[in-house]
Amino acid sequence: MHQVRFVSYARPTHSPDSQALDSVMRECLCEERERIHSPIRSSDKTKFGSDVLSRVRDDNRNTALHMTCGNGHIDVLDYLLPLVTPSALSAQHSAGPTALHQAALNQHLEVAQKLVHFTGADLIDIKNTAGRSPLGEAEMIGWDEGARWLVQEMKLDETSQHDVSDNEEDSSMAMDNAQDVQVEIQDADGQVAEMTISGGATATT
């Protein structure tokens, strides 16, 4: 049976108010969405704004997303995703894992799906200090379901990029074909007529 690797917690020290940030990180660990909400969105000027969710880290460089995704807290993840910055989604802690690595290590498929769909398949390419991507971690622990899904997402992303490239090439060819071409035609009496050919249509002057 697979042993779940719960993300550990070390109290944050790089903050002007470590007590408040300590609260945010602990609630992410314990899946207390409403208690996270309180210090984040408040009219009280002593409270933090949502940007704290992207900045706060513990002594192991874990972010709020590392805590949430490593422990499979779907409800908290749904709350965090619209609030964190793009850089927080790919942030790595001291050993190099992203939140997606943590989800893969603990076999949280729905968490992995939400992260990739929100961020994009590029998240799958990031490697930790051991040189493994989230897909590599899934394969290493024998999580076949997750590995298959990650591979599928990578293939879909490649297909999408090829489609965009093909569309751009088709558009470029269409523009070339649509360019105006002017020609001069001389009749039997020596009269010269100018003809403009534009995208398959002709006009004579």
Side-chain angles (χ1 to χ4, degrees), residues 178-196:
Q179 289 181 350
D180 292 348
V181 178
Q182 285 191 333
V183 297
E184 292 183 350
I185 301 176
Q186 185 174 16
D187 61 20
D189 297 326
Q191 298 295 320
V192 176
E194 291 185 352
M195 177 179 292
T196 301

Side-chain angles (χ1 to χ4, degrees), residues 92-184:
Q92 297 170 269
H93 75 44
S94 54
T98 63
L100 184 58
H101 281 88
Q102 300 295 71
L105 277 169
N106 292 285
Q107 303 186 14
H108 297 311
L109 182 59
E110 188 175 357
V111 170
Q113 291 171 335
K114 285 180 178 290
L115 283 170
V116 173
H117 289 161
F118 189 86
T119 309
D122 287 347
L123 200 60
I124 304 173
D125 295 330
I126 300 175
K127 295 181 179 180
N128 59 20
T129 54
R132 289 191 293 270
S133 66
L135 173 59
E137 296 287 20
E139 292 174 335
M140 185 185 71
I141 64 172
W143 186 33
D144 295 338
E145 180 185 23
R148 284 195 303 269
W149 184 83
L150 290 168
V151 169
Q152 178 185 355
E153 286 301 301
M154 293 173 71
K155 289 181 178 179
L156 287 173
D157 185 62
E158 290 175 359
T159 300
S160 176
Q161 290 179 7
H162 286 315
D163 288 345
V164 170
S165 178
D166 290 343
N167 289 337
E168 289 176 348
E169 183 177 348
D170 291 343
S171 297
S172 177
M173 292 178 62
M175 290 178 64
D176 290 341
N177 291 335
Q179 289 181 350
D180 292 348
V181 178
Q182 285 191 333
V183 297
E184 292 183 350

Side-chain angles (χ1 to χ4, degrees), residues 48-117:
F48 291 92
S50 60
D51 64 318
V52 71
L53 296 173
S54 302
R55 292 187 294 105
V56 63
R57 290 179 181 244
D58 70 6
D59 289 345
N60 295 322
R61 304 294 294 166
N62 283 304
T63 66
L65 280 175
H66 283 99
M67 295 288 188
T68 300
C69 296
N71 293 296
H73 299 329
I74 298 295
D75 191 45
V76 175
L77 181 60
D78 286 337
Y79 173 73
L80 293 178
L81 283 177
L83 299 178
V84 296
T85 62
S87 61
L89 292 161
S90 58
Q92 297 170 269
H93 75 44
S94 54
T98 63
L100 184 58
H101 281 88
Q102 300 295 71
L105 277 169
N106 292 285
Q107 303 186 14
H108 297 311
L109 182 59
E110 188 175 357
V111 170
Q113 291 171 335
K114 285 180 178 290
L115 283 170
V116 173
H117 289 161

Side-chain angles (χ1 to χ4, degrees), residues 11-12 14-22 46 48:
R11 183 177 181 133
H14 309 293
S15 165
D17 189 344
S18 60
Q19 183 176 2
L21 298 186
D22 177 70
T46 64
F48 291 92

